[in-house]
Amino acid sequence: MRALFPLLLVFGAVLAQGLVLEDDLVQALELAPGGEAGLVLSLRNEGPNPLRVRVEVADYREDQGFLPPGSLPQSLAGGLFLEAPEVVVPPRGRARVGLRVQAPSDLEGSRYAYLLLTPEPLSGVQGSGEGVRVGVNLVQRYAVLVAASHGGRPEVRFLEAKREGERLVFLGENRGSRLYRPLVRYQVVGAKGVVAEGYLGTYTFLPQNPKAVPVPLPRLAPGSYLVQLILDDGVYAYAVRARLDLP
């Protein structure tokens, strides 16, 4: 599922910029150590004005956010070579972001970095004797995960589960060397059997990173319940249970 990361939100007239990424937010490549591959992302501009889009490389940790490239031992930032630091997308048109991905010579498991695609903010302030009018764009950026993998394996461990309002949050981490992207589902089981279940979608567990997985809770009567989380990517599967006692 594509996610948008807001950069700026100010009171005023909000004007949609219309930037659309036509590719998946996760670009996972299988590469031999020292190998390389080309990667092209397609951008579409649904607005009436041209858009200038900055292209930047960053590292990322789940508990720290975006970091300068090269900050992490698992960083692939040094192996991402951009064709250009920015592109211009014409009105109602398309443009491409091209790059070359080179795996480190000692690759074992996964290395990763993010491409940040940010449209330049267009804003203006007009003054008059009766006050000030402000026109502001809601500036949004796409964060695209680029990962190169060879061998290795994930190792997911859940440390605890805690109640946060109407959900139970499982806190875990991937202690392994390889990226893990399982389909996640859950069950809430009471004395009379399953009272709720569903799919949460695909989650990305970065190697050597923490991860929080929130499970929505239905309206439950007082009693004891088991909340079960199941992760499966077709190769590796994990399951964890937590007890939930409601007075």
Side-chain angles (χ1 to χ4, degrees), residues 79 107 133 197 222:
L107 178 63
R133 292 186 302 158
E197 59 184 339

Side-chain angles (χ1 to χ4, degrees), residues 15-29:
L15 310 173
Q17 288 184 298
L19 180 66
V20 177
L21 173 66
E22 296 184 322
D23 297 283
D24 196 86
L25 280 178
V26 177
Q27 300 291 324
L29 307 174

Side-chain angles (χ1 to χ4, degrees), residues 51-105:
L51 288 176
R52 179 182 299 167
V53 180
R54 288 201 319 271
V55 185
E56 302 169 280
V57 177
D59 281 347
Y60 179 80
R61 267 189 63 89
E62 293 280 350
D63 54 350
Q64 297 180 32
F66 293 109
L67 302 168
S71 298
L72 302 176
Q74 301 84 19
S75 177
L76 185 62
L80 301 186
F81 302 93
L82 303 176
E83 287 185 357
E86 66 178 33
V87 298
V88 176
V89 192
R92 314 295 183 189
R94 289 177 167 80
R96 51 169 267 169
V97 173
L99 66 151
R100 179 167 57 90
V101 182
Q102 183 169 26
S105 59

